[in-house]
Amino acid sequence: MQEKENKNIEELVDKMMHSLSVESPSVDFTNSIMSQVEALESKKVTTYKPLIPGYLWFVGGFLLVAITGYLFLSTTTEESTWFHALDFSKLTNNNLTQSLSSFSLPKTLMYAILSLGLMICIQIPVLKHYFDKRLSV
């Protein structure tokens, strides 16, 4: 039964296909489509703009060289002790407080930690501004 229905449907479709004429697009169909595509492509073109301009790289490099030169020329090999000025008498006298009171950091390490903190404090607002500006467009 189902095979008979399928044959009837197939015959009906064949008759309909023979009665239809083949449609062809207009003469300038390809040109009109291509002009629309070119218009879309020209709108999406973005130009590369670096996050940090070139002159800031030169300023940053100059500052890095200047600070490094200053540190090498002005520092001695002495170590700076931070904890000798703190009053540890309120804590109990045990090995931990004695070791903390004699703890000292080299000046170079202190400068490195300070520089790292400063760089992080500068980079976070710059990157936040960049991504806010990029996402708002």
Side-chain angles (χ1 to χ4, degrees):
M1 177 89 170
Q2 196 172 23
E3 289 178 20
K4 193 173 189 181
E5 286 180 21
N6 285 341
K7 285 184 182 182
N8 289 337
I9 291 173
E10 189 175 327
E11 288 175 7
L12 178 65
V13 168
D14 284 341
K15 286 180 186 177
M16 289 177 67
M17 293 299 285
H18 286 295
S19 65
L20 293 175
S21 62
V22 177
E23 294 182 17
S24 61
S26 63
V27 176
D28 64 340
F29 176 76
T30 303
N31 291 334
S32 65
I33 295 295
M34 289 308 292
S35 66
Q36 291 176 2
V37 168
E38 289 172 357
L40 287 175
E41 287 179 358
S42 66
K43 290 179 185 176
K44 293 183 180 180
V45 173
T46 56
T47 58
Y48 172 74
K49 184 178 178 184
L51 176 62
I52 301 173
Y55 69 91
L56 283 181
W57 282 110
F58 288 117
V59 169
F62 176 74
L63 288 175
L64 181 67
V65 168
I67 291 171
T68 304
Y70 173 75
L71 291 177
F72 278 120
L73 295 176
S74 68
T75 59
T76 60
T77 58
E78 297 176 12
E79 293 182 345
S80 172
T81 59
W82 287 2
F83 292 106
H84 77 293
L86 297 176
D87 183 22
F88 289 105
S89 64
K90 294 178 183 173
L91 300 173
T92 59
N93 278 338
N94 59 18
N95 290 337
L96 178 63
T97 57
Q98 290 174 358
S99 64
L100 281 178
S101 64
S102 65
F103 182 73
S104 63
L105 288 175
K107 282 187 178 181
T108 309
L109 181 59
M110 288 191 304
Y111 289 133
I113 292 170
L114 180 69
S115 299
L116 179 67
L118 183 66
M119 289 301 207
I120 289 172
C121 290
I122 291 172
Q123 285 178 355
I124 288 175
V126 168
L127 288 173
K128 183 181 182 319
H129 174 70
Y130 171 74
F131 284 115
D132 286 347
K133 186 177 175 184
R134 184 174 161 197
L135 293 175
S136 69
V137 170

